[in-house]
């Protein structure tokens, strides 16, 4: 197993800038922590744009649509455009409409929030559940009549999860073998401003467990996400680098897609996970402390 | 692999009655389906009692205390006494007080319903969470101050599950390596009057997934449950039979405890799972269609 190249001197960062035309970024842990921008990030993104690099943001955040996620960039003063943003809710909607080709008369039962609903709506997919206040009420099995037009269940992070939602989703999936089972992403946790909390992968876990089967996941590291980027952005994998803070999502995603990978240590992954006897089998090409280090390439 | 003995004639049932002094029963799928009594069950239990057999009810139901579960027996006209009933909520409480010996100044964070709280209370264990209406509200990480005296998280079936409960339980378990993680049972589903719904095992799945570790389970097939029975009921395993409808809970529980096992086909398990090429590796000693068949022993 080759060790990753640890970047530290200006010429190394400058070489990276020459080598890669398209820069894909994870957001939380790379650009910011929750609502706190990581210092130096704005300068690095400006440097890339000044050098005519393509910039793409690839996030597993499943609660926000691309449109509302852009609001987060705006609030933190980071330049970004909706067509540069790829979220796992968007990838789930594109997967259903383009890959699985869910028939137009079929609906999706949603466990998730408004952002997921917005992306489904933009792809022309009818849905139920989600933010419907009725599904926050105690579940009354006797009065539940499954909608025969439900052809898929999509599950993302949902901070208003309820037993009614789990019961309805389970009923759709267990009584109809043709019902598609899609999860926005497998992240076990997500970094909130107040520490780690259960992630979208944890939210779909009761369905996996009760059904004894796994969903199609559309977020990183899944190929579905890269297919979504490919459909919209013209890039050469050989001249593209994926920057992220998680080995099992960001770095695995980049490697699986044939991209170069740069791990930053401002997020989840600790130094010990990439060096020494306990190191992960997922090895990034490059490692640097912070994305801000790229300023040395200027 | 030996096939189970399929009982059908009166002398076989009569032999069983002679052979076993203690009869342990699963309830749902054996005695009743939801709120419908299985015909003939009352006569069989009366026959056992008339012959001075010990009768024990072992249920993974985690939402009811033994006391409230007795109300179910009463409502259906089935004779039962609180000290004959062993539920997984009770087993969880006994595990914490007697096996894990949770210090008296420690509290339990509960994901579960009133029956679980009642059993904890009866074992003298302080708790929080559970049916507290505050934990049904949206989770506000900023205003959550973990209680430093929480020494265990116990998770049972909870039809008022919320992201706040998952987040609090996850925080207690992920920030304190000494915090005990207990689940009442691993059942993936449970049979409601309106079909299968996600069970207690599904409810704890987000915590397993987010933490990457499994809880101690106290319900069938776990030995903890049999230890609870042993502490209260004097029985000879060689002269004891466990009657149930689920191979991976009831029958496994009986076999692991060195008891004889009788599978009934009035519940979850279908004929095809015990015979032929797709048969389970969990083989009961005896099989009969319904508990009511035991009437032939009279």
């Amino acid at each position: 197993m080759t060790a990753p190249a640890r970047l530290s001197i200006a010429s190394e960062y400058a070489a990276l800038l020459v080598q890669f035309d398209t820069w894909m970024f994870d957001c939380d842990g790379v650009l910011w922590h929750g609502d706190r921008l990581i210092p130096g990030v704005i300068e690095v993104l400006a440097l890339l744009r000044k050098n005519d690099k393509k910039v793409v943001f690839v996030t597993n955040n499943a609660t926000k649509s691309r449109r509302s996620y852009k609001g987060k960039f705006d609030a933190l003063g980071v330049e970004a455009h909706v067509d540069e943003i790829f979220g796992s809710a968007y990838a789930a909607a594109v997967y259903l409409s383009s890959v699985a080709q869910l028939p137009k008369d079929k609906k999706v039962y949603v466990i998730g929030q408004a952002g997921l609903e917005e992306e489904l709506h933009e792809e022309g997919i009818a849905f139920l559940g989600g933010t419907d206040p009725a599904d926050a009420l105690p579940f009354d099995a006797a009065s539940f009549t499954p909608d025969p037009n439900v052809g898929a269940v999509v599950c993302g992070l949902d901070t208003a999860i309820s037993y009614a939602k789990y019961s309805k989703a389970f009923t759709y999936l267990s009584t109809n073998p043709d019902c598609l089972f899609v999860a926005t992403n497998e992240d076990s946790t997500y970094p909130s401003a107040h520490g780690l909390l259960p992630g979208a992968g944890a939210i779909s876990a009761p369905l996996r467990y009760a059904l004894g089967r796994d969903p199609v996941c559309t977020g990183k590291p899944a190929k579905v996400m890269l297919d979504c980027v490919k459909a919209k952005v013209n890039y050469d994998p050989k001249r593209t680098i994926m920057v992220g803070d998680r080995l099992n999502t960001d770095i695995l995603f980049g490697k699986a897609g044939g991209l170069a990978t740069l791990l930053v240590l401002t997020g989840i992954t600790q130094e010990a996970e990439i060096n020494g006897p306990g190191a992960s089998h997922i090895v990034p090409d490059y490692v640097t402390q912070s994305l801000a280090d790229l300023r040395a390439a200027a």
Side-chain angles (χ1 to χ4, degrees), chain A:
Chain A
M1 200 157 71
T2 318
R6 182 68 188 237
L7 306 176
S8 63
I9 57 175
S11 62
E12 293 170 334
Y13 295 108
L16 232 55
L17 198 65
V18 171
Q19 199 177 340
F20 300 108
D21 300 328
T22 303
W23 290 66
M24 296 191 190
F25 294 97
D26 175 44
C27 301
D28 216 317
V30 176
L31 308 182
W32 55 65
H33 294 117
D35 293 326
R36 287 179 297 113
L37 193 67
I38 292 173
V41 155
I42 289 180
E43 293 92 315
V44 170
L45 292 173
L47 175 67
L48 293 172
R49 290 187 189 278
K50 202 185 88 182
N51 283 275
D52 294 324
K53 305 298 181 186
K54 264 180 211 148
V55 173
V56 175
F57 304 101
V58 186
T59 170
N60 274 1
N61 184 309
T63 62
K64 289 188 169 69
S65 65
R66 289 160 301 157
R67 201 177 305 277
S68 67
Y69 207 59
K70 175 168 165 20
K72 170 136 203 176
F73 285 84
D74 294 347
L76 292 171
V78 181
E79 183 184 344
H81 308 275
V82 170
D83 60 4
E84 292 171 343
I85 301 172
F86 294 82
S88 64
Y90 175 63
V94 169
Y95 171 79
L96 284 169
S97 64
S98 305
V99 182
Q101 301 194 318
L102 187 72
K104 283 293 169 197
D105 61 335
K106 290 293 183 189
K107 297 176 196 168
V108 171
Y109 183 79
V110 174
I111 292 179
Q113 303 188 187
L116 178 53
E117 292 177 332
E118 191 181 324
E119 296 291 12
L120 291 169
H121 178 74
E122 295 227 340
E123 287 292 313
I125 299 168
F127 59 86
L128 65 169
T131 58
D132 183 345
D135 284 2
L137 300 174
F139 182 57
D140 177 12
S143 71
F144 171 51
T145 308
D147 184 328
N149 291 317
V150 167
V153 167
V154 178
C155 185
L157 185 63
D158 187 341
T159 59
I161 189 59
S162 67
Y163 193 70
K165 292 185 193 178
Y166 283 137
S167 296
K168 290 183 179 184
F170 175 76
T171 301
Y172 285 121
L173 289 163
S174 62
T175 58
N176 174 9
D178 295 330
C179 187
L180 301 169
F181 182 22
V182 176
T184 56
N185 56 305
E186 294 184 280
D187 297 39
S188 58
T189 59
Y190 84 93
S192 83
H194 305 277
L196 288 182
L197 293 176
I203 295 299
S204 63
L207 296 176
R208 296 170 190 248
Y209 190 86
L211 293 161
R213 70 172 164 123
D214 288 331
V216 170
C217 291
T218 62
K220 294 173 287 182
K223 194 176 160 292
V224 175
M225 180 65 104
L226 200 60
D227 291 340
C228 280
V229 180
K230 259 183 210 160
K232 307 279 177 172
V233 178
N234 187 16
Y235 68 87
D236 175 0
K238 291 196 178 59
R239 295 189 57 82
T240 300
I241 189 164
M242 172 72 206
V243 187
D245 71 314
R246 285 199 186 217
L247 294 171
N248 61 358
T249 51
D250 304 320
I251 302 305
L252 192 56
F253 171 76
K255 293 182 86 75
L259 317 178
T261 52
L262 168 60
L263 178 75
V264 295
L265 299 174
T266 44
I268 293 276
T269 305
Q270 306 291 313
E271 185 86 45
E273 292 169 68
I274 48 164
N275 283 310
S280 168
H281 65 282
I282 304 166
V283 183
D285 296 305
Y286 307 100
V287 180
T288 195
Q289 177 56 41
S290 165
L291 179 58
D293 301 340
L294 262 288
R295 286 176 298 183

